[in-house]
Amino acid sequence: MTEKYEFIDGEAGNFPVQQMCTWAGVSTSGFYHWRSRPLSATAKRRSELRAVILQVFSDSQETYGYRRVHAALQRMNVQAGAELVRALMRELGPGAMPAAALAGDHDRR
């Protein structure tokens, strides 16, 4: 349900909310109730974790993959599983480039 509400909220400036609710099969009152609720503890935690992940990734000159980011978080005593770090990094966008791609194109003959 949350995905539908998030979509409606994101497109509210482009289409009438009532019409989108009808298309999505949700009630308008349910949408507005969802919108007025505070963030859940999980959503807050994920948001905070995204910020830390972005900082670690930026500090690594955007070369760390999820495994190294996870290791850095462990050294910082930030509790997060490797798969959660991986999922959040995927949500945030493109991951780290392989080291070979950073080194440039080399012909191996």
Side-chain angles (χ1 to χ4, degrees):
M1 196 63 74
T2 300
E3 294 85 16
K4 290 180 182 182
Y5 290 149
E6 287 174 350
F7 176 79
I8 293 168
D9 194 38
E11 294 295 322
N14 300 323
F15 299 99
V17 170
Q18 187 173 5
Q19 192 173 13
M20 287 191 291
C21 287
T22 301
W23 291 338
V26 297
S27 68
T28 306
S29 62
F31 167 73
Y32 285 113
H33 176 72
W34 168 84
R35 198 170 174 192
S36 66
R37 288 188 327 203
L39 284 178
S40 68
T42 302
K44 286 180 187 177
R45 170 78 174 120
R46 284 176 163 250
S47 178
E48 293 165 358
L49 195 52
R50 280 185 194 96
V52 176
I53 287 171
L54 282 174
Q55 185 61 50
V56 169
F57 188 65
S58 176
D59 290 349
S60 75
Q61 298 175 343
E62 300 183 357
T63 58
Y64 280 10
Y66 81 92
R67 289 183 183 98
R68 285 186 176 174
V69 170
H70 176 252
L73 293 176
Q74 285 182 319
R75 286 191 299 275
M76 298 166 61
N77 292 323
V78 175
Q79 298 295 316
E83 289 304 314
L84 176 59
V85 172
R86 181 180 182 196
L88 292 177
M89 286 184 73
R90 280 190 176 176
E91 287 176 14
L92 291 169
M97 293 185 60
L102 295 173
D105 294 330
H106 298 285
D107 273 344
R108 293 183 182 220
R109 294 181 197 205

XYZ file of all heavy atoms in Angstrom:
856
model
N 0.826 -1.189 0.000
C 0.000 0.000 0.000
C 0.871 1.253 0.000
O 0.565 2.207 -0.685
C -0.924 -0.031 1.218
C -2.075 0.931 1.144
S -3.235 0.652 -0.192
C -4.096 -0.762 0.399
N 1.958 1.229 0.775
C 2.816 2.400 0.893
C 3.370 2.820 -0.459
O 3.477 4.019 -0.743
C 3.974 2.113 1.873
O 3.411 1.791 3.141
C 4.883 3.301 2.035
N 3.704 1.838 -1.312
C 4.239 2.169 -2.631
C 3.227 2.968 -3.442
O 3.595 3.922 -4.139
C 4.634 0.901 -3.394
C 5.780 0.132 -2.787
C 5.327 -0.826 -1.696
O 4.113 -1.135 -1.606
O 6.184 -1.263 -0.917
N 1.970 2.588 -3.356
C 0.924 3.322 -4.082
C 0.814 4.745 -3.555
O 0.733 5.702 -4.322
C -0.420 2.606 -3.955
C -0.492 1.302 -4.706
C -1.849 0.656 -4.543
C -1.927 -0.674 -5.258
N -3.246 -1.292 -5.151
N 0.807 4.873 -2.234
C 0.704 6.200 -1.630
C 1.910 7.069 -1.989
O 1.766 8.256 -2.270
C 0.572 6.098 -0.110
C -0.756 5.539 0.367
C -0.824 4.810 1.538
C -1.929 5.750 -0.333
C -2.027 4.313 2.011
C -3.141 5.247 0.120
C -3.185 4.531 1.288
O -4.384 4.035 1.740
N 3.106 6.469 -1.987
C 4.304 7.228 -2.344
C 4.240 7.693 -3.789
O 4.639 8.814 -4.112
C 5.557 6.379 -2.119
C 5.895 6.195 -0.655
C 7.048 5.247 -0.426
O 7.488 4.568 -1.378
O 7.508 5.176 0.726
N 3.738 6.836 -4.665
C 3.589 7.221 -6.071
C 2.604 8.378 -6.217
O 2.883 9.356 -6.903
C 3.131 6.020 -6.910
C 2.880 6.381 -8.344
C 3.945 6.515 -9.222
C 1.601 6.600 -8.821
C 3.724 6.869 -10.549
C 1.366 6.953 -10.136
C 2.436 7.083 -11.007
N 1.469 8.259 -5.564
C 0.451 9.314 -5.626
C 1.018 10.622 -5.092
O 0.837 11.686 -5.695
C -0.825 8.899 -4.854
C -1.513 7.730 -5.561
C -1.780 10.076 -4.703
C -2.603 7.057 -4.755
N 1.736 10.549 -3.983
C 2.321 11.741 -3.385
C 3.331 12.387 -4.333
O 3.383 13.610 -4.462
C 2.990 11.372 -2.060
C 3.320 12.579 -1.213
O 2.510 13.528 -1.184
O 4.382 12.571 -0.569
N 4.110 11.570 -5.021
C 5.103 12.087 -5.953
C 4.506 12.720 -7.194
O 5.090 13.629 -7.790
N 3.346 12.248 -7.592
C 2.705 12.752 -8.810
C 1.579 13.744 -8.537
O 0.877 14.154 -9.458
C 2.144 11.576 -9.622
C 3.206 10.655 -10.177
C 4.087 11.345 -11.213
O 3.563 12.155 -12.002
O 5.300 11.079 -11.212
N 1.418 14.139 -7.291
C 0.297 15.014 -6.909
C 0.289 16.334 -7.668
O -0.773 16.904 -7.895
C 0.308 15.268 -5.407
N 1.434 16.827 -8.067
C 1.484 18.075 -8.810
C 1.089 17.925 -10.271
O 0.776 18.905 -10.948
N 1.088 16.684 -10.770
C 0.806 16.440 -12.182
C -0.617 15.969 -12.461
O -1.129 16.189 -13.558
C 1.789 15.398 -12.734
C 3.225 15.850 -12.614
O 3.539 17.021 -12.777
N 4.108 14.922 -12.313
N -1.221 15.299 -11.494
C -2.563 14.746 -11.675
C -3.380 14.989 -10.414
O -2.831 15.098 -9.323
C -2.497 13.225 -11.933
C -1.738 12.845 -13.155
C -0.421 12.426 -13.069
C -2.325 12.917 -14.409
C 0.302 12.069 -14.192
C -1.621 12.562 -15.547
C -0.307 12.144 -15.443
N -4.699 15.028 -10.520
C -5.542 15.181 -9.335
C -5.414 13.961 -8.408
O -5.435 12.817 -8.871
C -6.963 15.275 -9.894
C -6.809 15.572 -11.349
C -5.480 15.040 -11.757
N -5.269 14.223 -7.129
C -5.077 13.160 -6.144
C -6.255 12.197 -6.146
O -6.072 10.978 -6.119
C -4.856 13.757 -4.730
C -4.907 12.669 -3.663
C -3.534 14.493 -4.670
N -7.463 12.720 -6.193
C -8.648 11.858 -6.148
C -8.659 10.884 -7.327
O -8.956 9.701 -7.166
C -9.919 12.708 -6.147
C -11.176 11.896 -5.936
C -12.402 12.785 -5.782
O -12.323 13.998 -5.916
N -13.534 12.171 -5.512
N -8.300 11.375 -8.497
C -8.286 10.522 -9.688
C -7.194 9.445 -9.575
O -7.426 8.283 -9.900
C -8.050 11.369 -10.928
C -8.298 10.658 -12.230
C -8.205 11.607 -13.412
O -7.739 12.734 -13.300
N -8.666 11.139 -14.554
N -6.024 9.817 -9.073
C -4.950 8.823 -8.914
C -5.321 7.767 -7.887
O -4.984 6.597 -8.059
C -3.639 9.518 -8.531
C -2.995 10.273 -9.677
S -1.324 10.821 -9.307
C -1.630 12.063 -8.067
N -5.996 8.178 -6.817
C -6.439 7.217 -5.807
C -7.402 6.205 -6.417
O -7.322 5.002 -6.134
C -7.088 7.929 -4.628
S -5.914 8.790 -3.561
N -8.291 6.680 -7.264
C -9.238 5.799 -7.942
C -8.484 4.817 -8.831
O -8.747 3.616 -8.820
C -10.243 6.609 -8.770
O -10.935 7.506 -7.901
C -11.239 5.705 -9.474
N -7.525 5.325 -9.615
C -6.728 4.461 -10.499
C -5.960 3.406 -9.712
O -5.851 2.267 -10.139
C -5.723 5.282 -11.295
C -6.311 6.185 -12.338
C -7.529 6.080 -12.938
C -5.696 7.342 -12.892
N -7.708 7.102 -13.828
C -6.594 7.892 -13.827
C -4.476 7.979 -12.694
C -6.303 9.033 -14.565
C -4.193 9.114 -13.429
C -5.096 9.630 -14.351
N -5.424 3.813 -8.555
C -4.609 2.898 -7.747
C -5.454 1.965 -6.887
O -4.927 1.034 -6.283
C -3.660 3.700 -6.861
N -6.743 2.233 -6.798
C -7.624 1.385 -5.998
C -7.496 1.616 -4.503
O -7.645 0.680 -3.716
N -7.185 2.853 -4.112
C -7.093 3.201 -2.691
C -8.043 4.361 -2.411
O -8.425 5.100 -3.311
C -5.646 3.597 -2.285
C -4.713 2.417 -2.474
C -5.157 4.790 -3.050
N -8.408 4.529 -1.154
C -9.308 5.618 -0.805
C -8.524 6.914 -0.651
O -7.366 6.917 -0.227
C -10.059 5.313 0.488
O -9.167 5.322 1.580
N -9.173 8.012 -0.983
C -8.551 9.324 -0.840
C -8.281 9.615 0.634
O -7.224 10.138 0.988
C -9.464 10.418 -1.441
O -9.775 10.039 -2.786
C -8.785 11.757 -1.459
N -9.228 9.237 1.490
C -9.034 9.481 2.922
C -7.856 8.667 3.459
O -7.100 9.143 4.304
C -10.303 9.155 3.698
O -10.635 7.788 3.570
N -7.692 7.450 2.970
C -6.558 6.626 3.376
C -5.236 7.255 2.963
O -4.258 7.235 3.714
N -5.209 7.846 1.757
C -4.000 8.518 1.284
C -3.650 9.691 2.189
O -2.507 9.832 2.625
C -4.174 9.005 -0.159
C -3.105 9.961 -0.585
C -1.822 9.521 -0.842
C -3.382 11.312 -0.712
C -0.827 10.413 -1.223
C -2.395 12.213 -1.088
C -1.111 11.758 -1.348
N -4.630 10.531 2.485
C -4.360 11.700 3.330
C -4.005 11.295 4.765
O -3.191 11.956 5.414
C -5.527 12.685 3.291
C -5.566 13.454 1.996
C -6.596 13.283 1.094
C -4.545 14.336 1.677
C -6.622 13.991 -0.104
C -4.561 15.044 0.480
C -5.600 14.868 -0.406
O -5.604 15.564 -1.592
N -4.587 10.201 5.234
C -4.225 9.694 6.568
C -2.767 9.233 6.562
O -1.998 9.540 7.478
C -5.147 8.559 6.986
C -4.773 7.936 8.292
N -4.961 8.574 9.491
C -4.192 6.740 8.584
C -4.519 7.804 10.469
N -4.044 6.685 9.939
N -2.366 8.496 5.514
C -0.981 8.038 5.385
C -0.021 9.226 5.343
O 1.028 9.214 5.976
C -0.831 7.202 4.111
C 0.596 6.929 3.738
C 1.390 5.933 4.227
C 1.401 7.669 2.826
N 2.638 6.007 3.653
C 2.671 7.062 2.784
C 1.177 8.782 2.020
C 3.704 7.530 1.991
C 2.208 9.249 1.224
C 3.453 8.632 1.214
N -0.412 10.247 4.617
C 0.439 11.414 4.430
C 0.656 12.180 5.736
O 1.704 12.787 5.933
C -0.212 12.322 3.391
C 0.694 13.325 2.784
C -0.015 13.961 1.627
N 0.747 15.043 1.080
C 0.284 15.906 0.218
N -0.961 15.796 -0.201
N 1.031 16.858 -0.244
N -0.324 12.142 6.625
C -0.225 12.904 7.870
C 0.492 12.140 8.991
O 0.834 12.723 10.009
C -1.615 13.315 8.361
O -2.360 12.167 8.736
N 0.725 10.838 8.782
C 1.383 10.028 9.814
C 2.861 10.366 9.912
O 3.504 10.660 8.901
C 1.266 8.539 9.492
C -0.100 7.977 9.680
C -0.115 6.472 9.546
N 0.881 5.989 8.577
C 0.803 4.835 7.964
N -0.199 4.036 8.192
N 1.731 4.461 7.111
N 3.431 10.286 11.114
C 4.880 10.476 11.243
C 5.620 9.263 10.673
O 5.043 8.186 10.529
C 5.094 10.588 12.754
C 3.926 9.911 13.361
C 2.773 10.073 12.396
N 6.893 9.447 10.353
C 7.697 8.343 9.845
C 7.816 7.254 10.898
O 7.913 7.537 12.096
C 9.107 8.826 9.497
C 9.283 9.614 8.216
C 10.732 10.048 8.072
C 8.861 8.794 7.013
N 7.852 6.020 10.449
C 8.040 4.897 11.370
C 9.493 4.877 11.844
O 10.374 5.499 11.247
C 7.709 3.586 10.666
O 8.671 3.316 9.663
N 9.748 4.141 12.887
C 11.112 4.016 13.413
C 12.033 3.402 12.362
O 13.188 3.814 12.218
C 11.104 3.175 14.681
N 11.519 2.442 11.615
C 12.321 1.812 10.558
C 12.660 2.805 9.466
O 13.805 2.857 9.003
C 11.564 0.604 9.968
O 11.282 -0.325 11.006
C 12.365 -0.064 8.869
N 11.687 3.606 9.053
C 11.939 4.598 8.008
C 12.953 5.641 8.471
O 13.838 6.046 7.703
C 10.632 5.275 7.599
N 12.862 6.050 9.728
C 13.840 7.003 10.274
C 15.228 6.388 10.284
O 16.204 7.027 9.892
C 13.450 7.417 11.694
C 12.283 8.358 11.771
C 11.982 8.694 13.223
C 10.704 9.493 13.337
N 10.354 9.760 14.741
N 15.314 5.150 10.741
C 16.607 4.457 10.823
C 17.219 4.312 9.437
O 18.418 4.540 9.250
C 16.402 3.092 11.469
C 17.589 2.167 11.415
C 18.630 2.522 12.448
N 19.671 1.506 12.440
C 20.936 1.740 12.189
N 21.339 2.967 11.982
N 21.805 0.764 12.181
N 16.422 3.928 8.459
C 16.937 3.767 7.097
C 17.399 5.106 6.524
O 18.415 5.162 5.839
C 15.870 3.150 6.190
C 15.696 1.677 6.402
C 14.562 1.119 5.566
N 14.681 -0.310 5.475
C 15.012 -0.967 4.373
N 15.228 -0.320 3.262
N 15.121 -2.277 4.385
N 16.672 6.162 6.831
C 17.060 7.488 6.365
C 18.402 7.908 6.961
O 19.278 8.423 6.251
C 15.974 8.494 6.724
O 16.329 9.781 6.326
N 18.572 7.681 8.255
C 19.841 8.003 8.916
C 20.972 7.151 8.356
O 22.078 7.644 8.124
C 19.721 7.784 10.424
C 18.772 8.743 11.107
C 18.384 8.316 12.512
O 18.826 7.227 12.962
O 17.641 9.073 13.162
N 20.676 5.881 8.115
C 21.684 4.975 7.583
C 22.085 5.365 6.166
O 23.261 5.294 5.809
C 21.163 3.541 7.630
C 22.155 2.412 7.452
C 23.336 2.556 8.401
C 21.473 1.082 7.674
N 21.127 5.804 5.356
C 21.442 6.269 3.997
C 22.448 7.422 4.043
O 23.384 7.465 3.243
C 20.176 6.726 3.271
C 19.352 5.613 2.703
C 18.185 6.173 1.885
N 17.223 5.153 1.617
C 16.123 4.944 2.338
N 15.828 5.729 3.364
N 15.297 3.965 2.038
N 22.240 8.349 4.969
C 23.140 9.501 5.090
C 24.553 9.056 5.450
O 25.542 9.550 4.882
C 22.607 10.484 6.125
N 24.678 8.096 6.371
C 25.996 7.602 6.771
C 26.645 6.849 5.607
O 27.841 7.007 5.337
C 25.901 6.705 8.026
C 27.247 6.111 8.381
C 25.340 7.495 9.192
N 25.862 6.049 4.907
C 26.379 5.302 3.752
C 26.896 6.270 2.693
O 27.984 6.081 2.137
C 25.300 4.368 3.172
C 25.075 3.179 4.111
C 25.677 3.891 1.772
C 23.882 2.316 3.755
N 26.130 7.309 2.412
C 26.571 8.298 1.423
C 27.870 8.970 1.847
O 28.739 9.226 1.012
C 25.486 9.357 1.203
C 24.324 8.946 0.323
C 23.260 10.040 0.304
C 24.793 8.658 -1.090
N 28.016 9.247 3.136
C 29.238 9.880 3.631
C 30.432 8.951 3.465
O 31.484 9.370 2.985
C 29.075 10.292 5.095
C 30.253 11.068 5.630
C 30.485 12.362 4.868
O 29.558 13.136 4.674
N 31.700 12.582 4.422
N 30.270 7.685 3.844
C 31.361 6.710 3.709
C 31.721 6.539 2.238
O 32.896 6.528 1.866
C 30.977 5.354 4.343
C 31.981 4.260 3.988
C 30.842 5.490 5.849
N 30.713 6.442 1.384
C 30.936 6.270 -0.051
C 31.654 7.483 -0.626
O 32.601 7.357 -1.398
C 29.593 6.036 -0.749
C 29.708 5.668 -2.196
C 30.313 4.485 -2.582
C 29.193 6.490 -3.178
C 30.417 4.125 -3.922
C 29.285 6.148 -4.512
C 29.890 4.964 -4.886
N 31.248 8.667 -0.207
C 31.888 9.899 -0.666
C 33.332 9.987 -0.172
O 34.231 10.362 -0.925
C 31.083 11.101 -0.179
O 31.721 12.298 -0.529
N 33.551 9.644 1.093
C 34.899 9.671 1.664
C 35.844 8.712 0.946
O 37.053 8.933 0.932
C 34.869 9.335 3.151
C 34.241 10.439 3.993
O 34.018 11.552 3.467
O 33.950 10.176 5.182
N 35.298 7.658 0.367
C 36.119 6.680 -0.350
C 36.328 7.086 -1.804
O 36.802 6.282 -2.599
C 35.465 5.308 -0.302
O 34.359 5.247 -1.187
N 35.976 8.310 -2.135
C 36.024 8.819 -3.506
C 35.149 7.977 -4.428
O 35.473 7.716 -5.575
C 37.463 8.884 -4.017
C 38.314 9.823 -3.196
C 39.766 9.824 -3.607
O 40.250 8.919 -4.289
N 40.466 10.857 -3.188
N 34.055 7.507 -3.853
C 33.036 6.725 -4.552
C 33.584 5.445 -5.169
O 33.172 5.036 -6.251
C 32.327 7.592 -5.592
C 31.641 8.792 -4.965
C 30.859 9.633 -5.941
O 30.874 9.329 -7.154
O 30.225 10.582 -5.484
N 34.515 4.816 -4.460
C 35.094 3.571 -4.962
C 34.652 2.353 -4.165
O 34.839 1.232 -4.616
C 36.639 3.626 -4.940
O 37.069 3.871 -3.603
C 37.153 4.703 -5.877
N 34.119 2.540 -2.964
C 33.733 1.406 -2.129
C 32.427 0.793 -2.620
O 31.474 1.499 -2.946
C 33.525 1.848 -0.676
C 34.776 2.005 0.144
C 36.042 1.961 -0.412
C 34.678 2.208 1.511
C 37.173 2.113 0.362
C 35.814 2.360 2.300
C 37.054 2.310 1.716
O 38.157 2.462 2.490
N 32.400 -0.513 -2.622
C 31.176 -1.251 -2.845
C 30.499 -1.505 -1.510
O 30.967 -1.046 -0.454
N 29.419 -2.266 -1.533
C 28.663 -2.455 -0.301
C 29.462 -3.202 0.767
O 29.291 -2.939 1.955
C 27.314 -3.130 -0.571
C 27.360 -4.632 -0.720
C 27.158 -5.468 0.378
C 27.584 -5.234 -1.959
C 27.187 -6.837 0.249
C 27.616 -6.601 -2.093
C 27.417 -7.403 -0.993
O 27.445 -8.763 -1.117
N 30.367 -4.094 0.357
C 31.139 -4.844 1.354
C 32.071 -3.930 2.132
O 32.168 -4.002 3.362
C 31.933 -5.955 0.680
C 31.071 -7.097 0.179
C 31.944 -8.200 -0.424
N 31.126 -9.254 -0.974
C 30.812 -9.360 -2.274
N 31.258 -8.479 -3.140
N 30.058 -10.356 -2.683
N 32.766 -3.051 1.424
C 33.681 -2.130 2.103
C 32.912 -1.086 2.908
O 33.353 -0.689 3.987
C 34.593 -1.446 1.088
C 35.683 -2.353 0.576
C 36.626 -1.577 -0.291
N 37.734 -2.394 -0.724
C 38.639 -1.996 -1.590
N 38.560 -0.783 -2.110
N 39.623 -2.790 -1.943
N 31.795 -0.634 2.373
C 30.966 0.316 3.132
C 30.490 -0.354 4.408
O 30.541 0.237 5.491
C 29.777 0.840 2.295
C 28.802 1.623 3.150
C 30.275 1.700 1.133
N 30.053 -1.602 4.316
C 29.596 -2.340 5.485
C 30.723 -2.473 6.505
O 30.520 -2.271 7.709
C 29.075 -3.724 5.079
C 28.673 -4.576 6.230
N 29.399 -5.675 6.635
C 27.634 -4.472 7.093
C 28.826 -6.220 7.680
N 27.743 -5.518 7.985
N 31.933 -2.787 6.045
C 33.077 -2.908 6.948
C 33.380 -1.572 7.622
O 33.679 -1.523 8.822
C 34.302 -3.410 6.183
N 33.282 -0.490 6.864
C 33.523 0.843 7.437
C 32.467 1.165 8.489
O 32.782 1.732 9.543
C 33.525 1.900 6.338
N 31.225 0.800 8.235
C 30.157 1.030 9.211
C 30.415 0.237 10.485
O 30.192 0.739 11.588
C 28.793 0.656 8.617
C 28.287 1.526 7.467
C 26.982 0.967 6.919
C 28.115 2.959 7.902
N 30.894 -0.996 10.336
C 31.213 -1.805 11.512
C 32.311 -1.145 12.341
O 32.238 -1.129 13.569
C 31.637 -3.210 11.105
C 30.480 -4.077 10.672
C 30.928 -5.479 10.326
O 31.971 -5.670 9.701
N 30.130 -6.452 10.721
N 33.340 -0.600 11.658
C 34.421 0.076 12.383
C 33.920 1.315 13.103
O 34.466 1.725 14.119
C 35.546 0.465 11.409
C 36.379 -0.723 10.957
C 37.622 -0.286 10.215
N 37.367 0.471 9.009
C 37.118 -0.029 7.806
N 37.093 -1.342 7.638
N 36.902 0.753 6.773
N 32.835 1.915 12.581
C 32.238 3.101 13.191
C 31.208 2.717 14.249
O 30.528 3.581 14.797
C 31.566 3.964 12.107
C 32.511 4.499 11.062
S 31.659 5.160 9.608
C 30.687 6.468 10.295
N 31.051 1.423 14.507
C 30.049 0.896 15.448
C 28.619 1.233 15.041
O 27.760 1.455 15.884
C 30.325 1.361 16.879
C 31.571 0.748 17.443
O 31.867 -0.411 17.174
N 32.316 1.518 18.206
N 28.384 1.270 13.737
C 27.033 1.461 13.212
C 26.480 0.077 12.902
O 27.057 -0.667 12.110
C 27.039 2.343 11.934
C 25.653 2.425 11.327
C 27.580 3.719 12.255
N 25.386 -0.266 13.541
C 24.780 -1.580 13.375
C 23.943 -1.634 12.110
O 22.937 -0.930 11.988
C 23.906 -1.923 14.584
C 24.663 -2.007 15.889
C 25.668 -3.147 15.891
O 25.361 -4.245 15.457
N 26.872 -2.855 16.360
N 24.387 -2.443 11.149
C 23.634 -2.654 9.915
C 24.184 -3.906 9.241
O 25.402 -4.081 9.150
C 23.767 -1.459 8.986
N 23.303 -4.739 8.774
C 23.725 -5.941 8.072
C 24.208 -5.628 6.668
O 23.855 -4.608 6.074
N 25.021 -6.532 6.139
C 25.578 -6.329 4.803
C 24.478 -6.236 3.744
O 24.563 -5.417 2.823
C 26.544 -7.457 4.466
N 23.458 -7.056 3.863
C 22.388 -7.047 2.859
C 21.565 -5.763 2.928
O 21.088 -5.271 1.906
C 21.493 -8.278 2.992
C 22.175 -9.548 2.560
C 22.719 -9.491 1.132
O 21.996 -9.029 0.226
O 23.872 -9.902 0.926
N 21.400 -5.201 4.128
C 20.700 -3.923 4.249
C 21.525 -2.824 3.594
O 20.989 -1.987 2.861
C 20.429 -3.585 5.712
C 19.779 -2.221 5.980
C 18.443 -2.102 5.263
C 19.622 -1.994 7.472
N 22.831 -2.824 3.832
C 23.714 -1.836 3.205
C 23.634 -1.973 1.690
O 23.519 -0.981 0.965
C 25.167 -2.001 3.704
C 26.120 -1.119 2.923
C 25.248 -1.696 5.192
N 23.652 -3.204 1.215
C 23.565 -3.456 -0.223
C 22.253 -2.910 -0.798
O 22.250 -2.231 -1.820
C 23.668 -4.954 -0.472
C 23.621 -5.347 -1.907
C 23.737 -6.854 -2.025
N 23.731 -7.262 -3.415
C 23.509 -8.481 -3.813
N 23.302 -9.441 -2.937
N 23.510 -8.773 -5.088
N 21.153 -3.199 -0.130
C 19.844 -2.738 -0.612
C 19.765 -1.216 -0.614
O 19.266 -0.615 -1.578
C 18.732 -3.333 0.247
N 20.253 -0.581 0.442
C 20.190 0.881 0.511
C 21.090 1.518 -0.538
O 20.727 2.535 -1.140
C 20.561 1.364 1.913
C 19.562 1.006 3.016
C 20.075 1.467 4.371
C 18.198 1.601 2.731
N 22.253 0.914 -0.794
C 23.131 1.454 -1.830
C 22.490 1.320 -3.207
O 22.629 2.209 -4.047
C 24.498 0.768 -1.795
C 25.346 1.232 -0.623
S 26.999 0.543 -0.597
C 27.761 1.449 -1.948
N 21.755 0.255 -3.431
C 21.038 0.100 -4.707
C 19.963 1.166 -4.848
O 19.754 1.712 -5.933
C 20.416 -1.283 -4.806
C 21.396 -2.328 -5.202
C 20.704 -3.613 -5.523
N 21.684 -4.575 -6.004
C 21.399 -5.811 -6.300
N 20.167 -6.261 -6.176
N 22.337 -6.618 -6.724
N 19.260 1.455 -3.747
C 18.233 2.497 -3.780
C 18.841 3.866 -4.073
O 18.230 4.694 -4.721
C 17.502 2.569 -2.435
C 16.563 1.427 -2.164
C 15.951 1.508 -0.769
O 16.047 2.575 -0.133
O 15.382 0.498 -0.325
N 20.053 4.086 -3.549
C 20.699 5.383 -3.697
C 21.231 5.626 -5.098
O 21.495 6.765 -5.465
C 21.829 5.528 -2.677
C 21.367 5.641 -1.228
C 22.550 5.510 -0.286
C 20.659 6.969 -1.006
N 21.424 4.589 -5.874
C 21.893 4.792 -7.244
C 23.050 3.896 -7.590
O 23.318 2.909 -6.911
N 23.772 4.263 -8.652
C 24.862 3.415 -9.133
C 25.886 3.150 -8.040
O 26.231 4.028 -7.257
C 25.492 4.227 -10.258
C 24.459 5.224 -10.643
C 23.613 5.464 -9.428
N 26.373 1.928 -8.017
C 27.369 1.544 -7.033
C 28.759 1.944 -7.453
O 28.959 2.678 -8.423
N 29.716 1.458 -6.726
C 31.108 1.766 -7.022
C 31.525 1.098 -8.326
O 31.048 0.030 -8.673
C 31.985 1.273 -5.885
N 32.413 1.754 -9.024
C 32.922 1.189 -10.265
C 34.025 0.198 -9.935
O 34.778 0.400 -8.992
C 33.471 2.298 -11.158
C 32.405 3.233 -11.670
S 33.064 4.423 -12.819
C 33.701 3.379 -14.096
N 34.162 -0.856 -10.730
C 35.263 -1.791 -10.501
C 36.609 -1.086 -10.643
O 36.747 -0.150 -11.415
C 35.084 -2.838 -11.601
C 33.706 -2.662 -12.105
C 33.305 -1.248 -11.816
N 37.603 -1.533 -9.904
C 38.925 -0.902 -9.926
C 39.509 -0.881 -11.327
O 40.177 0.070 -11.720
C 39.861 -1.626 -8.966
N 39.259 -1.922 -12.112
C 39.790 -1.970 -13.476
C 39.236 -0.829 -14.322
O 39.933 -0.259 -15.152
C 39.461 -3.305 -14.122
N 38.002 -0.465 -14.099
C 37.403 0.622 -14.870
C 38.003 1.963 -14.474
O 38.130 2.870 -15.293
C 35.892 0.645 -14.664
N 38.395 2.087 -13.207
C 38.999 3.328 -12.742
C 40.422 3.500 -13.260
O 40.907 4.607 -13.415
C 38.995 3.378 -11.213
C 37.631 3.427 -10.560
C 37.777 3.305 -9.051
C 36.908 4.704 -10.918
N 41.110 2.393 -13.512
C 42.502 2.450 -13.936
C 42.645 2.872 -15.397
O 43.711 3.236 -15.832
C 43.147 1.079 -13.723
N 41.565 2.860 -16.140
C 41.626 3.247 -17.547
C 41.610 2.017 -18.443
O 41.665 0.888 -17.982
N 41.549 2.277 -19.722
C 41.532 1.176 -20.696
C 42.950 0.758 -21.014
O 43.791 1.575 -21.398
C 40.820 1.603 -21.978
C 39.346 1.868 -21.743
O 38.768 1.232 -20.841
O 38.789 2.689 -22.478
N 43.218 -0.496 -20.871
C 44.538 -1.036 -21.190
C 44.366 -2.220 -22.115
O 43.530 -3.072 -21.877
C 45.276 -1.504 -19.922
C 45.536 -0.397 -18.947
N 46.505 0.548 -19.150
C 44.947 -0.091 -17.782
C 46.513 1.389 -18.144
N 45.564 1.038 -17.289
N 45.163 -2.225 -23.151
C 45.164 -3.380 -24.043
C 46.011 -4.478 -23.434
O 47.144 -4.236 -22.999
C 45.751 -3.017 -25.408
C 44.700 -2.453 -26.348
O 43.508 -2.631 -26.059
O 45.099 -1.858 -27.361
N 45.472 -5.653 -23.380
C 46.225 -6.804 -22.888
C 46.468 -7.709 -24.081
O 45.569 -8.371 -24.548
C 45.465 -7.541 -21.806
C 45.320 -6.712 -20.560
C 44.629 -7.514 -19.505
N 44.451 -6.692 -18.343
C 44.613 -7.130 -17.113
N 44.945 -8.370 -16.904
N 44.451 -6.337 -16.096
N 47.663 -7.695 -24.546
C 47.984 -8.530 -25.710
C 49.031 -9.523 -25.369
O 49.880 -9.409 -24.627
C 48.485 -7.660 -26.860
C 47.404 -6.768 -27.373
C 47.939 -5.957 -28.497
N 47.018 -4.834 -28.700
C 46.905 -4.223 -29.820
N 47.597 -4.582 -30.841
N 46.087 -3.243 -29.957
